[in-house]
């Protein structure tokens, strides 16, 4: 009885998304899967030819796919931990009862996130220039001028620095997670003799683990799909020695520069499979460390 | 209310040191946050200073908006240079340009000519602090800022209402109800995030084209009424962390699931809902690609990012100061909205569920 009730209401609540999925998403998704089995030249859309798994076979041996996957995984290993720890630190700082002028601080720490993309690209290019402020600072502390755009070893640090300006959303989510932790929990922990550090690990982190999990999953997916910033900073190229040839940049070039839409679709679905597996693994581990007060 | 009740009153002496320590902690922490903020805001400060520069000075120069100086002596205009003479640097006007030596005059004593050995091109121009405030009205007029601002606002605002409302309902469905095949449905939901948009772009464009929606706001707005996977996943995470006892009790009292959503789940999720709403607003406000794709050739319907991009394409190169001025103006509204809305984050969640 209760089960049927659940089923009815549940499906009713899901119906907007199911409807939208069928209307706008399912068709294009299936179409792109079909493209991955064809030789589809964007310049000659009338000559679509079914070629079976040839694109998929080519993908597995394509050296650029290997290189771009390596770049992407390297970036993932840089950006995911920093992209979680740094905004969490900021959120703790902005949550602290000792901080004065919180409203202003919260707004200003979020502000870099609001710079429109077109302007941001100009700013970041200028900031990394030989005469730009980053090199001026490095000169000041005696490191000297670094050639940010042509040294392949500096690609990941440069993109990480740029990425730090975009942590505003994560920071706000962590902050609203921290804000939702009932104060009584901290009070009773203090009475039991817990210090701030213990409270943070035993109360704050478990209580906001659903938010941390959300950000973990999305930053992993986001790293796999990382594209825009690298595209803008390296002006559509793969950077020095292809050190900034991200998977998505390679895909974009295949599809929209060389017009191989069929192969580009294969690349997308190849990444889809990989990314789905990683996401499934993350969901699998989440049962051990993500705490839902409302139950699983 | 909890704060004051929890502070135990002790002897006045220890109360004083307690307050002193609190003040110290507040001072240290605020100072630390300020220093961190200065570094963190560097891109924004840079953008602001770039917005005040002249058209010729490029973005490479540092934070201070400066202009190259010139001087007019007896009806003739000369460029001013920093000239090193006899161990001192003097600001002089370049009167005669030659390869091996040049003649300068001192603006204060224009009658004496100064001969300087060396290539004048190696000298630095004398600059002065000279913010170009007129960049702002110039940028405003160049792209019909007011019209684009209104368009951006409408698209961001309507989309925000649509996506928050629909995503809330769907996330509630995912977090609270036993539905057959729910894990698979959720996997499909995550799949729509995972498949890069670039590859569904052309089929999707075809769909909108066949519907006759290209050249209107519909491709930007209509899908948002059907929930968005990012927001559904996010809100599901928050809803699942709300203890079930209160909504179960309400259900026993005969409240309908819809009633429970409106009067129990939503009030306890204000911070998350506000965050979702703001994220969408800012995302739509700054989104360049979708309006560019669907609104090309419709200047009346265009949005601010399209206007910003036009500085480099339509208005010619070296207009970066106008781009920055327009983007600073475009950032003001979101900043104000954020400042007002972040009070909702400040306010903790109502702890109804724990007052047992």
């Amino acid at each position: 009885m209760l089960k049927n009730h659940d089923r009815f209401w549940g499906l009713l609540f899901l119906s907007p998304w199911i409807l939208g999925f069928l209307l706008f998403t399912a068709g294009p998704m299936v179409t792109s899967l079909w493209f991955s089995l064809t030789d589809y030249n964007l310049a000659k859309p009338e000559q679509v030819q079914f070629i079976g798994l040839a694109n998929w076979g080519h993908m597995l041996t394509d050296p650029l796919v290997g290189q771009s996957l390596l770049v992407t995984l390297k970036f993932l290993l840089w950006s995911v931990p920093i992209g979680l720890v740094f905004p969490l630190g900021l959120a703790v700082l902005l949550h602290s009862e000792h901080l004065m002028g919180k409203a202003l601080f919260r707004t200003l720490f979020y502000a870099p996130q609001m710079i429109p993309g077109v302007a941001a690209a100009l700013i970041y290019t200028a900031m990394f220039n030989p005469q730009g402020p980053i090199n001026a600072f490095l000169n000041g502390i005696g490191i000297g001028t670094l050639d940010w755009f042509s040294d392949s070893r500096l690609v990941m640090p440069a993109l990480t620095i740029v990425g730090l300006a975009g942590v505003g959303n994560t920071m706000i989510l962590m902050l609203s997670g921290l804000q939702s932790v009932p104060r009584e929990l901290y009070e009773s922990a203090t009475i039991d003799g817990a210090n701030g550090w213990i409270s943070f690990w035993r109360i704050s982190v478990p209580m906001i683990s659903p938010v941390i999990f959300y950000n973990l999953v999305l930053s992993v997916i986001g790293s796999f799909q990382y594209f825009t910033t690298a595209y803008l900073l390296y002006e559509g190229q793969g950077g020095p020695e292809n050190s900034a040839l991200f998977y998505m940049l390679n895909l974009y070039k295949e599809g929209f520069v060389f017009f191989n839409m069929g192969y580009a679709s294969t690349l997308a679905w190849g990444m889809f499979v990989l990314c789905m597996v990683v996401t499934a693994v993350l969901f699998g581990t989440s049962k051990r460390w993500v705490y839902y007060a409302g139950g699983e | 209310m909890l704060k004051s009740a929890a502070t135990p009153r002790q002897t006045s002496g220890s109360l004083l040191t307690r307050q002193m320590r609190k003040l110290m902690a507040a001072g240290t922490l605020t100072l630390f946050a300020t220093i961190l903020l200065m570094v963190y805001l560097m891109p924004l400060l840079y953008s602001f200073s770039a917005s005040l520069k002249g058209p010729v000075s490029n973005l490479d120069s540092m934070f201070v908006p400066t202009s190259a100086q010139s001087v007019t002596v007896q009806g003739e205009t000369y460029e001013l240079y920093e000239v090193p003479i006899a161990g001192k640097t003097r600001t002089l006007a370049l009167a005669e340009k030659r390869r091996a030596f040049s003649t300068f005059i001192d603006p204060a004593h224009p009658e004496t000519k100064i001969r300087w050995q060396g290539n004048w091109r190696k000298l630095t121009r004398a600059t002065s602090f000279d913010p170009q405030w007129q960049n702002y009205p110039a940028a405003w007029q160049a792209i019909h800022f007011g019209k684009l601002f209104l368009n951006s606002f409408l698209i961001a605002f309507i989309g925000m209402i649509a996506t928050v409302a629909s995503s809330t309902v769907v996330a509630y469905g995912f977090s609270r109800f036993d539905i057959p095949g729910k894990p698979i449905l959720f996997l499909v939901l995550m799949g729509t995030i995972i498949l890069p948009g670039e590859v569904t772009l052309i089929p999707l464009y075809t769909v909108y084209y066949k519907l006759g929606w290209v050249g209107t706001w519909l491709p930007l707005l209509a899908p948002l009424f059907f929930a968005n996977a990012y927001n559904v996943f996010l809100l599901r995470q928050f809803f699942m962390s709300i203890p079930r006892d209160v909504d179960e009790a309400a259900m026993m009292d005969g409240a309908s699931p819809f009633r429970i959503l409106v009067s129990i789940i939503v009030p306890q999720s204000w911070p998350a809902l506000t965050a979702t709403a703001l994220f969408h607003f800012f995302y739509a406000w700054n989104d360049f690609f979708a309006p560019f794709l669907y609104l090309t050739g419709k200047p009346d319907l265009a949005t601010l990012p399209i206007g910003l991009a036009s500085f480099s394409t339509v208005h010619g190169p070296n207009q970066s100061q106008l781009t920055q001025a327009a983007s600073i103006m475009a950032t003001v509204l979101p900043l104000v909205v954020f400042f007002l809305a972040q009070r909702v984050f400040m306010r903790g969640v109502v702890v109804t569920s724990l007052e047992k």
Side-chain angles (χ1 to χ4, degrees):
Chain A
M1 181 60 203
L2 206 64
K3 269 258 173 276
N4 282 337
H5 170 92
D6 252 28
R7 188 174 293 191
F8 168 75
W9 281 101
L11 281 172
L12 186 72
F13 285 122
L14 292 199
S15 60
W17 173 69
I18 295 175
L19 203 66
F21 176 77
L22 294 175
L23 280 176
F24 301 113
T25 317
M29 271 179 107
V30 172
T31 312
S32 77
L33 189 60
W34 158 250
F35 284 166
S36 79
L37 303 173
T38 64
D39 180 15
Y40 173 22
N41 188 324
L42 206 55
K44 299 174 216 141
E46 64 286 343
Q47 294 175 16
V48 180
Q49 221 180 8
F50 179 77
I51 53 167
L53 289 173
N55 281 333
W56 288 79
H58 180 46
M59 176 174 71
L60 297 178
T61 54
D62 187 346
L64 281 183
V65 170
Q67 165 71 12
S68 62
L69 207 54
L70 213 64
V71 170
T72 305
L73 290 176
K74 195 173 157 192
F75 178 72
L76 192 148
L77 292 179
W78 272 82
S79 65
V80 171
I82 295 176
L84 287 178
V85 173
F86 182 65
L88 180 59
L90 279 183
V92 170
L93 176 69
L94 295 178
H95 183 64
S96 167
E97 55 172 322
H98 294 304
L99 184 68
M100 296 182 278
K102 275 187 211 175
L104 199 61
F105 273 116
R106 286 170 190 198
T107 309
L108 291 177
F109 269 111
Y110 190 79
Q113 177 106 20
M114 295 189 206
I115 302 177
V118 179
L122 285 171
I123 295 172
Y124 290 119
T125 317
M127 292 197 59
F128 284 109
N129 262 345
Q131 291 85 30
I134 291 179
N135 274 319
F137 172 74
L138 292 176
N139 271 323
I141 59 171
I143 290 178
T145 302
L146 297 179
D147 196 353
W148 289 93
F149 289 115
S150 46
D151 189 338
S152 60
R153 290 168 303 171
L154 294 176
V155 166
M156 293 299 154
L159 292 176
T160 308
I161 292 173
V162 174
L164 288 182
V167 299
N169 282 355
T170 315
M171 173 189 87
I172 291 303
L173 289 178
M174 303 256 191
L175 192 59
S176 58
L178 287 174
Q179 208 74 49
S180 316
V181 181
R183 287 233 179 85
E184 297 92 311
L185 292 181
Y186 294 112
E187 277 156 20
S188 46
T190 312
I191 292 165
D192 291 346
N195 61 24
W197 188 244
I198 293 178
S199 288
F200 174 73
W201 281 108
R202 300 272 171 83
I203 300 172
S204 306
V205 171
M207 289 300 282
I208 66 167
S209 59
V211 182
I212 296 178
F213 179 65
Y214 170 83
N215 285 309
L216 173 69
V217 170
L218 280 201
S219 71
V220 167
I221 297 176
S223 300
F224 274 115
Q225 296 183 355
Y226 187 77
F227 173 67
T228 314
T229 312
Y231 179 83
L232 291 173
L233 275 189
Y234 296 96
E235 290 164 349
Q237 303 305 310
E241 296 149 48
N242 274 342
S243 51
L245 184 77
F246 284 84
Y247 193 95
M248 278 307 297
L249 183 60
N250 189 32
L251 187 157
Y252 171 84
K253 281 174 129 179
E254 286 291 349
F256 295 96
V257 179
F258 308 130
F259 292 158
N260 296 326
M261 206 57 207
Y263 187 47
S265 302
T266 313
L267 290 177
W269 278 91
M271 196 236 269
F272 179 82
V273 172
L274 177 67
C275 202
M276 209 62 176
V277 171
V278 173
T279 308
V281 170
L282 289 178
F283 268 90
T285 64
S286 77
K287 295 195 170 69
R288 299 205 188 145
W289 63 273
V290 180
Y291 168 71
Y292 296 109
E296 179 64 62
Chain B
M1 3 148 214
L2 281 164
K3 238 190 312 185
S4 53
T7 318
R9 289 221 162 239
Q10 288 168 0
T11 60
S12 64
S14 76
L15 193 72
L16 196 70
T17 52
R18 221 186 137 94
Q19 273 184 342
M20 283 284 283
R21 259 194 296 164
K22 247 190 163 158
L23 213 65
M24 285 280 286
T28 319
L29 205 71
T30 311
L31 186 69
F32 173 71
T34 311
I35 294 170
L36 194 65
L37 188 68
M38 293 315 284
V39 178
Y40 200 66
L41 283 187
M42 221 160 61
L44 209 65
L45 296 174
Y46 203 77
S47 168
F48 182 59
S49 91
S51 76
L52 295 174
K53 288 177 179 171
V56 279
S57 59
N58 56 21
L59 279 172
D60 299 353
S61 62
M62 293 293 281
F63 286 94
V64 189
T66 53
S67 289
Q69 273 183 297
S70 297
V71 68
T72 307
V73 181
Q74 291 158 357
E76 291 253 18
T77 305
Y78 303 102
E79 295 168 347
L80 280 173
Y81 285 85
E82 305 285 354
V83 189
I85 293 177
K88 273 200 335 197
T89 304
R90 293 171 65 185
T91 306
L92 298 174
L94 179 58
E96 194 189 356
K97 293 172 182 175
R98 292 265 189 99
R99 208 172 277 265
F101 69 91
S102 293
T103 314
F104 287 89
I105 46 177
D106 188 338
H109 313 281
E111 51 296 332
T112 43
K113 302 239 186 290
I114 304 162
R115 205 177 125 123
W116 180 76
Q117 294 288 333
N119 189 344
W120 64 273
R121 285 178 198 279
K122 298 225 168 103
L123 295 170
T124 36
R125 281 292 292 270
T127 53
S128 63
F129 178 67
D130 183 20
Q132 309 283 312
W133 294 104
Q134 74 275 15
N135 285 344
Y136 282 81
W140 181 289
Q141 276 169 8
I143 57 171
H144 307 288
F145 195 91
K147 176 76 188 153
L148 299 187
F149 188 94
L150 185 69
N151 287 348
S152 279
F153 180 80
L154 285 175
I155 290 175
F157 188 75
I158 297 169
M160 176 184 93
I161 304 284
T163 196
V164 172
S166 58
S167 303
T168 302
V169 168
V170 176
Y172 179 53
F174 269 119
S175 65
R176 280 295 198 265
F177 297 91
D178 242 341
I179 307 159
K182 192 164 84 168
I184 293 173
L185 283 173
F186 196 73
L187 206 67
V188 175
L189 180 93
M190 292 306 294
T192 62
I193 297 179
I194 291 170
L195 192 69
E198 279 80 356
V199 289
T200 48
L201 184 71
I202 288 167
L204 193 63
Y205 187 91
T206 315
V207 170
Y208 291 138
Y209 186 79
K210 284 187 176 152
L211 288 169
W213 287 7
V214 172
T216 74
W217 284 354
L218 284 169
L220 309 180
L221 291 177
L224 298 173
F225 286 86
F226 299 94
N228 162 296
Y230 288 93
N231 295 339
V232 170
F233 180 29
L234 174 65
L235 292 176
R236 168 202 183 250
Q237 294 300 96
F238 275 97
F239 293 170
M240 281 175 75
S241 33
I242 299 171
R244 273 182 195 241
D245 29 11
V246 180
D247 46 307
E248 270 164 11
M251 203 190 292
M252 295 301 162
D253 293 343
S256 75
F258 193 73
R259 180 78 202 273
I260 291 170
L261 173 65
V262 172
S263 47
I264 293 169
I265 303 287
V266 167
Q268 292 198 70
S269 309
W270 270 125
L273 290 169
T274 319
T276 314
L278 290 177
F279 293 170
H280 178 82
F281 187 88
F282 301 145
Y283 168 78
W285 186 260
N286 277 338
D287 184 27
F288 168 71
F289 193 67
F292 172 73
L293 192 64
Y294 295 112
L295 299 176
T296 298
K298 300 272 176 182
D300 281 353
L301 299 176
T303 58
L304 273 177
I306 295 184
L308 290 179
S310 75
F311 279 116
S312 51
T313 53
V314 180
H315 303 273
N318 298 325
Q319 297 291 311
S320 54
Q321 80 285 0
L322 293 187
T323 312
Q324 299 300 335
S327 88
I328 293 272
M329 289 191 291
T331 315
V332 170
L333 174 84
L335 269 179
V336 171
V337 168
F338 188 90
F339 182 76
L340 297 175
Q342 56 81 40
R343 271 179 221 221
V344 183
F345 302 127
M346 290 275 227
R347 196 181 68 188
V349 158
V350 201
V351 280
T352 39
S353 52
L354 278 120
E355 291 169 348
K356 283 185 255 183

